[in-house]
Amino acid sequence: MYGSRGARRGASAVVLGAALLIAGCSSSDDGGDEPEKSGAGITQQPKETDPFWVNPEGNAAQQVAAYEKAGKKADAEQIRKIAEQPTGEWIGPETPEEDARGYTEAADEADRTALLVLYNIPHRDCGQYSQGGAADGNAYRDWVDGVAKGIGDRSATVVLEPDAVLHLVDGCTPDEFHEERYDLLKGAIEKLKSLKNTKVYLDAGNAGWGNPDQIFEPLKWAGIDKADGFSVNVSNFYTTEDSLAYGKTLSAKVGNKPFVIDTSRNGNGPYEEGDPAERWCNPPGRALGETPTTKTADPLVDAYVWVKRPGESDGECKGGPKAGEWWPEYALGLAKASE
């Protein structure tokens, strides 16, 4: 069961350059908690509880504006639940330096931290909905170098390669690619941690795929000791309670490293019906989870984050579009179920 497979952004970043700088908004005198409104009127969350950057021109924000223009005020208010929260920005395969620079500059303008997701490891997703990745190891190293150059000294929190270690453990990734992948992940952590203000969380699967005894040594081989911590439940639906238990058990096996939990769509927990192999893909009846914050239920949890962007498809299943594409009907369902 590959819980977060298919939920990635394979395309280049939607909003870059000048648009992002406009979206960044000028800060107020009190530290930037009340930036000027832009687009659909999306502003930043209070920095002391949620330091991550809200993209005021993201897919959800654009949907809010479209619904408002069409007179669908109730739907607009539902989607606003998504639009006003910071979500992960998935760095595109073609323009990593430009993507990383655009997002971190916009976040810096708003006195916030960019939440970036790196998802371009060679042989990604085992040929499933989000298959792809860099052509080879050298191409991946160049790509990571581009990301690092784009981030520079600006503040960034990076979730590194969802499923990459998990798929080494569960047999999904062929044996001949294992040694290189460990080397690439270790190198990526070292490169990103050489930056002045970048935190790195190596992905460590989810509460439903197996148990921490299966993955703690591979995480060590992938360089978890040099990372700030690990991420759990990326693009998945396991409850925060279950994710917390999984993360704490795993943390004890990797030097008590802290972790972040993706709570973007876990409000109603996992889907328990239909084909077990496809339960993770656009399951019906799910809800938004806890909003992003650094004020969590446990000192080992650095933050609840929305790594997966709610409303973007997991893949072409259950009527959904391609992985990573905006799906307004699904977004509405998530928002309405979280009332």
Side-chain angles (χ1 to χ4, degrees):
M1 178 169 63
Y2 313 124
S4 53
R5 179 204 294 166
R8 315 296 180 228
R9 287 182 62 81
S12 295
V14 175
V15 189
L16 292 174
L20 273 176
L21 291 176
I22 293 171
C25 309
S26 58
S27 300
S28 62
D29 293 335
D30 64 358
D33 286 344
E34 297 179 2
E36 294 175 2
K37 293 185 178 182
S38 166
I42 304 302
T43 59
Q44 303 300 316
Q45 292 292 329
K47 187 177 180 181
E48 64 272 14
T49 58
D50 187 0
F52 302 109
W53 176 64
V54 177
N55 184 346
E57 304 296 340
N59 284 333
Q62 294 180 38
Q63 188 68 65
V64 169
Y67 278 146
E68 288 179 342
K69 186 176 182 180
K72 298 180 178 180
K73 293 185 178 180
D75 287 347
E77 288 309 301
Q78 291 291 345
I79 298 299
R80 188 176 292 277
K81 296 176 184 177
I82 299 172
E84 66 186 8
Q85 300 299 331
T87 57
E89 301 292 351
W90 298 67
I91 301 298
E94 303 299 332
T95 54
E97 183 176 346
E98 291 83 353
D99 287 9
R101 179 177 293 111
Y103 291 131
T104 55
E105 285 183 348
D108 193 55
E109 286 284 321
D111 191 29
R112 296 298 188 276
T113 296
L115 178 63
L116 307 178
V117 189
L118 271 58
Y119 186 64
N120 196 39
I121 202 80
H123 319 292
R124 187 183 69 193
D125 205 36
C126 308
Q128 299 301 312
Y129 290 120
S130 291
Q131 62 182 291
D136 55 35
N138 287 333
Y140 184 75
R141 293 183 184 94
D142 289 344
W143 183 79
V144 171
D145 286 347
V147 172
K149 188 177 295 185
I151 294 173
D153 288 343
R154 289 178 292 277
S155 180
T157 293
V158 174
V159 173
L160 183 62
E161 296 297 340
D163 286 348
V165 177
L166 171 59
H167 284 166
L168 294 174
V169 177
D170 65 13
C172 181
T173 301
D175 290 345
E176 61 264 31
F177 303 134
H178 286 206
E179 183 177 356
E180 178 186 63
R181 179 169 293 186
Y182 284 123
D183 182 68
L184 293 176
L185 291 171
K186 186 179 297 184
I189 291 170
E190 291 175 353
K191 182 69 178 182
L192 293 165
K193 284 307 299 174
S194 72
L195 303 176
K196 185 178 180 180
N197 294 303
T198 296
K199 290 186 175 182
V200 181
Y201 294 88
L202 178 62
D203 190 63
N206 58 73
W209 76 274
N211 67 71
D213 283 339
Q214 297 171 274
I215 201 171
F216 78 90
E217 285 189 341
L219 286 171
K220 291 181 178 179
W221 300 335
I224 187 67
D225 61 313
K226 299 291 180 62
D228 291 276
F230 57 91
S231 58
V232 300
N233 203 49
V234 170
S235 296
N236 219 301
F237 303 87
Y238 292 96
T239 64
T240 302
E241 181 181 8
D242 288 345
S243 297
L244 178 61
Y246 172 82
K248 290 182 71 172
T249 301
L250 181 55
S251 174
K253 298 176 182 295
V254 292
N256 295 313
K257 287 283 187 178
F259 56 101
V260 296
I261 300 174
D262 185 353
T263 59
S264 57
R265 305 182 299 176
N266 73 347
N268 283 343
Y271 186 57
E272 302 290 355
E273 300 177 23
D275 181 358
E278 289 285 319
R279 286 176 180 171
W280 59 269
C281 191
N282 299 324
R286 301 309 93 194
L288 302 173
E290 289 97 336
T291 54
T293 183
T294 52
K295 305 294 184 182
T296 69
D298 193 280
L300 273 175
V301 183
D302 281 350
Y304 300 144
V305 287
W306 284 10
V307 184
K308 169 68 178 180
R309 297 150 70 95
E312 292 182 359
S313 177
D314 292 322
E316 295 174 276
C317 61
K318 302 182 182 70
K322 291 181 179 180
E325 289 190 8
W326 176 251
W327 188 6
E329 293 82 8
Y330 197 81
L332 271 174
L334 290 170
K336 289 178 179 179
S338 65
E339 292 180 335

